[in-house]
Amino acid sequence: EVQLVESGGARVQPGGSLTLSCAASGFTFRTHGMSWVRQAPGKGLEWVSFVDTTTSLIFYADSVKGRFTISRDNAKSSLYLQMNNLKPEDTAVYYCVRDPYNSGTLGVLDYWGQGTLVTVSS
Amino acid sequence: NFMLTQPRSVSESPGKTVTISCTRSSGGIATNYVQWFQQRPGSPPTTVIYEDNQRPSGVPDRFSGSIDTSSNSASLSISGLRTEDEADYYCQSYDSSNPHWVFGGGTKLTVL
């Protein structure tokens, strides 16, 4: 069974930093691209970032480019999101989402984690 | 960049069929696959349709997806509506010209 378990969400002050983690199991992690998708309270879904299997392809939404860094450790079957210079508008539940393919060029998403809440507030 | 536009809400009675549309603002709807996700309150999204019209295992065949190039839109149809289908539904596609994953704004389905 595919499982994606996010952790690391917390309340931080504006300008602060946070790193989210996603532990994957139930599939061969190193053969799948991975994305982060967020959802602000009461709002819709917003794609944040993507990384392919070898980290040779990495993409970011314009809203987070230059502030967030996606990475992965295939040996640990884990995905990460380093978030710097956080703003109140980054407040959201952050989901770890699997791409059924390796390079993301088809843009398909399939399995979602339960999400972890990040609150940016003073 | 393109946008995906969905109706904000739809409602229908149990046992009936409802169709939710997802219109692409520019570029052809058939250019990139469309996915549909169901999100019940307090839960993460789950996939009900992928690659335009494919159903994951475990999703009942009451759910079907299609694309219409004449209206440049994708549609999710749910037949034999049940109260458990009440949820938010999101369409999603991919902007290959400027790699971004694009979501529609979501449609709240009420079954009453």
Side-chain angles (χ1 to χ4, degrees):
Chain A
E1 177 194 4
V2 172
Q3 286 201 323
L4 299 167
V5 180
E6 302 92 338
S7 61
R11 186 184 191 94
V12 296
Q13 292 190 338
S17 298
L18 202 60
T19 298
L20 305 182
S21 300
C22 170
S25 61
F27 66 101
T28 306
F29 180 75
R30 66 177 184 274
T31 64
H32 290 268
M34 298 294 297
S35 277
W36 288 98
V37 175
R38 68 184 181 184
Q39 186 171 35
K43 302 297 185 182
L45 301 170
E46 179 190 16
W47 170 77
V48 173
S49 184
F50 168 85
V51 60
D52 76 345
T53 56
T54 61
T55 69
S56 58
L57 287 176
I58 288 178
F59 305 114
Y60 296 100
D62 292 343
S63 57
V64 307
K65 195 175 296 183
R67 300 187 298 122
F68 290 12
T69 302
I70 192 171
S71 62
R72 63 188 295 160
D73 185 336
N74 287 340
K76 294 183 177 180
S77 295
S78 293
L79 176 72
Y80 307 99
L81 186 67
Q82 169 72 40
M83 304 184 293
N84 296 329
N85 189 20
L86 282 161
K87 305 175 181 181
E89 53 264 39
D90 294 319
T91 294
V93 173
Y94 285 73
Y95 295 103
C96 169
V97 190
R98 193 186 80 161
D99 185 316
Y101 305 106
N102 59 1
S103 65
T105 54
L106 295 180
V108 181
L109 303 172
D110 59 5
Y111 287 95
W112 297 64
Q114 289 290 323
T116 188
L117 176 62
V118 173
T119 303
V120 184
S121 173
S122 54
Chain B
N1 290 5
F2 63 87
M3 294 190 304
L4 297 173
T5 301
Q6 302 179 232
R8 192 170 290 265
S9 64
V10 296
S11 62
E12 190 50 271
S13 303
K16 299 291 189 179
T17 298
V18 70
T19 298
I20 300 171
S21 62
C22 171
T23 302
R24 178 166 168 159
S25 62
S26 62
I29 189 69
T31 302
N32 304 95
Y33 286 129
V34 175
Q35 284 60 242
W36 289 92
F37 306 106
Q38 176 192 68
Q39 187 177 32
R40 296 188 174 107
S43 295
T46 61
T47 303
V48 291
I49 294 290
Y50 68 99
E51 295 177 12
D52 298 340
N53 55 17
Q54 301 300 301
R55 243 184 349 266
S57 60
V59 173
D61 61 5
R62 301 185 298 106
F63 290 80
S64 63
S66 63
I67 61 169
D68 179 356
T69 55
S70 65
S71 60
N72 214 36
S73 64
S75 294
L76 172 69
S77 291
I78 310 171
S79 61
L81 276 170
R82 301 180 178 182
T83 54
E84 69 214 45
D85 298 330
E86 196 163 277
D88 293 327
Y89 291 85
Y90 294 90
C91 62
Q92 174 264 319
S93 191
Y94 176 66
D95 187 343
S96 46
S97 64
N98 171 27
H100 276 54
W101 284 247
V102 181
F103 287 92
T107 299
K108 181 177 181 60
L109 169 63
T110 302
V111 181
L112 39 66

